[in-house]
Amino acid sequence: PFAGFIFFGLFVYFVFSEIITRSPTLIQDNANYVKKVVFPLEMIPLVAVVASGFNFLISFVVLGLFLALFGGGITPTIMLAPLVILPFIMFLAGLALFISAIGVYVKDVTYIAGFIATAMMFLSPVFYAIETVPENFRVLMMLNPLTYYIEAFRSCVIGGIAPNDTFMLIAYILGMGTLFLGYWVFQRVRVGFAD
């Protein structure tokens, strides 16, 4: 159903948007952990990801109920959703670590993150399927990391088919690469957080 198609694109986008807009101020908002307590600081962005993930899980259950009642039922391929959720969580965790670390030193990241979050709504296949995009612009859409997660979720939850193998490979590479980069940057710059 078209409503489920739209809502699922929006759910993925909203989780991404929440992470990218909250992350720049996570360390400043929890300065007492940075200055006074011996605390694993990388847990601060990861807790934000878990909190957003909980909201996503609730939305996922609501969408599942909607599909069961009004959308013709739930397909067995919904069991593949955890295979898509794992790289998506890694991707979000890497973004949260990277942006929260940079946000301590560059205060304007908050404004840039808001702009990027808004732009990503229109540059992601939230309101339309990737197949409907003209071939010339489809290449640009494929540069957007959210495209792979949105399309993979839609195919296994709403489409009733297994996600595209290439999309899943790219989703895992993006997830692991972003997590590694975010963690590496966070560890490199964390020594100056207290200052």
Side-chain angles (χ1 to χ4, degrees):
F2 186 69
F5 180 88
I6 294 292
F7 288 144
F8 211 87
L10 285 172
F11 293 155
V12 173
Y13 166 75
F14 284 145
V15 172
F16 168 81
S17 177
E18 183 179 353
I19 291 297
I20 201 171
T21 55
R22 281 186 59 200
S23 293
T25 60
L26 282 175
I27 302 299
Q28 294 93 322
D29 293 345
N30 296 286
N32 52 340
Y33 292 116
V34 176
K35 295 182 178 182
K36 299 178 183 172
V37 181
V38 177
F39 184 78
L41 297 178
E42 56 274 354
M43 292 303 294
I44 296 171
L46 298 181
V47 166
V49 171
V50 170
S52 294
F54 181 75
N55 292 338
F56 178 78
L57 182 62
I58 297 297
S59 300
F60 192 81
V61 170
V62 169
L63 179 62
L65 290 173
F66 174 79
L67 290 173
L69 297 174
F70 304 108
I74 297 175
T75 62
T77 55
I78 198 167
M79 301 301 284
L80 298 174
L83 296 177
V84 183
I85 290 173
L86 179 62
F88 187 53
I89 289 173
M90 290 190 295
F91 176 71
L92 294 176
L95 279 179
L97 287 164
F98 180 81
I99 295 170
S100 64
I102 300 301
V104 173
Y105 299 100
V106 183
K107 305 301 181 198
D108 291 338
V109 170
T110 304
Y111 306 111
I112 295 168
F115 172 75
I116 290 172
T118 303
M120 289 295 266
M121 178 187 285
F122 300 104
L123 297 174
S124 303
V126 172
F127 301 111
Y128 46 84
I130 192 72
E131 296 84 25
T132 61
V133 177
E135 192 67 37
N136 299 354
F137 297 110
R138 198 175 302 173
V139 175
L140 294 174
M141 296 291 294
M142 297 311 229
L143 295 175
N144 181 353
L146 283 184
T147 298
Y148 301 99
Y149 299 109
I150 291 172
E151 289 295 316
F153 275 121
R154 279 183 180 154
S155 65
C156 67
V157 176
I158 297 171
I161 58 172
N164 183 314
D165 292 340
T166 306
F167 276 30
M168 288 302 296
L169 177 64
I170 293 171
Y172 271 91
I173 290 170
L174 282 170
M176 290 186 290
T178 306
L179 182 59
F180 175 78
L181 177 67
Y183 185 76
W184 182 79
V185 168
F186 193 91
Q187 294 300 329
R188 292 282 298 211
V189 301
R190 70 181 290 170
V191 293
F193 285 175
D195 297 333

